[in-house]
Amino acid sequence: PLHSPLRSENDDSLIAHRARPVALTAAGAPVIDALVSLDTFAPQFLWVLMVAAPRSSLTARVMGPIAPVIALSLAHLAIVLLAASAPGGTEPVKIFADVFDPAQNQLDGMVRLFEVRDFVAEEWPHVLIWDLFVGRAIWLDSLERDVGFTWAALLLTNGIGPPGLLLYVTICLLSGRGVPSMGYRPRDRAEY
């Protein structure tokens, strides 16, 4: 039967309908924890492949396709959905408004965001997955253009993100390979 706002609070089917989000929320915290662990530790195996065996067939089979990044991104999406559906799950949206308000202190807003456990649960995998995405782009570019010493840039990218990309650009420039295109290929103006 359809649920009507006129139904009694004592109606069993209405109570069951209202109880489902609570059950999802109660189950959500352990699932979020498990997914955060997955998104924390699974990428490390992928980094080891790119750093320690960049030219191996195993690394090519695993990291050549974008599937590992997509799989980790799906786990991240599940974290976001579970966190947002929890009580108070949209609280970070209000804080974000302050972070992107030029009249406010952005760092203070971020500190407030990191006080929200579910925001940290979303943000940590977010950072790890984007770093892996960039690391994969560095690895692919280094193979295509035969750039050496890439392992150092990959380790730095895994550790602190953008400085690893800057190190890779520096390695490319110092080795005479030029600025990495990272997949960009200029098209003829007629194609635009």
Side-chain angles (χ1 to χ4, degrees):
L2 294 173
H3 296 291
S4 162
L6 300 175
R7 297 193 84 152
S8 161
E9 287 292 321
N10 295 327
D11 180 37
D12 289 339
S13 60
L14 182 60
I15 292 169
H17 176 72
R18 288 187 177 167
R20 270 186 242 132
V22 173
L24 176 65
T25 301
V31 173
I32 288 172
D33 289 349
L35 291 171
V36 168
S37 290
L38 173 73
D39 275 351
T40 298
F41 298 110
Q44 301 318 308
F45 165 72
L46 304 171
W47 283 106
V48 167
L49 289 175
M50 292 187 297
V51 170
R55 297 188 182 284
S56 82
S57 61
L58 175 62
T59 306
R61 279 194 314 275
V62 173
M63 289 307 295
I66 197 161
V69 176
I70 291 172
L72 293 167
S73 296
L74 287 170
H76 176 256
L77 177 61
I79 293 167
V80 170
L81 294 175
L82 286 168
S85 65
T90 58
E91 177 186 347
V93 174
K94 297 173 193 163
I95 300 171
F96 253 157
D98 289 345
V99 171
F100 287 96
D101 178 352
Q104 302 287 330
N105 183 298
Q106 284 65 51
L107 188 54
D108 288 346
M110 289 304 296
V111 168
R112 286 185 18 237
L113 278 170
F114 276 96
E115 291 171 355
V116 179
R117 185 178 197 276
D118 282 347
F119 177 79
V120 176
E122 177 282 324
E123 188 63 19
W124 176 239
H126 171 153
V127 168
L128 294 173
I129 294 165
W130 277 120
D131 287 353
L132 180 64
F133 182 74
V134 172
R136 179 181 173 273
I138 289 170
W139 170 73
L140 288 170
D141 185 79
S142 73
L143 292 178
E144 182 179 319
R145 298 183 325 122
D146 197 31
V147 178
F149 205 64
T150 303
W151 63 268
L154 289 170
L155 287 175
L156 195 57
T157 301
N158 185 22
I160 58 174
L165 176 60
L166 294 175
L167 177 58
Y168 182 66
V169 170
T170 302
I171 291 168
C172 289
L173 291 172
L174 291 175
S175 66
R177 301 284 194 266
V179 176
S181 68
M182 306 304 269
Y184 173 73
R185 304 282 184 264
R187 294 187 287 176
D188 187 352
R189 288 185 152 244
E191 294 180 42
Y192 288 106

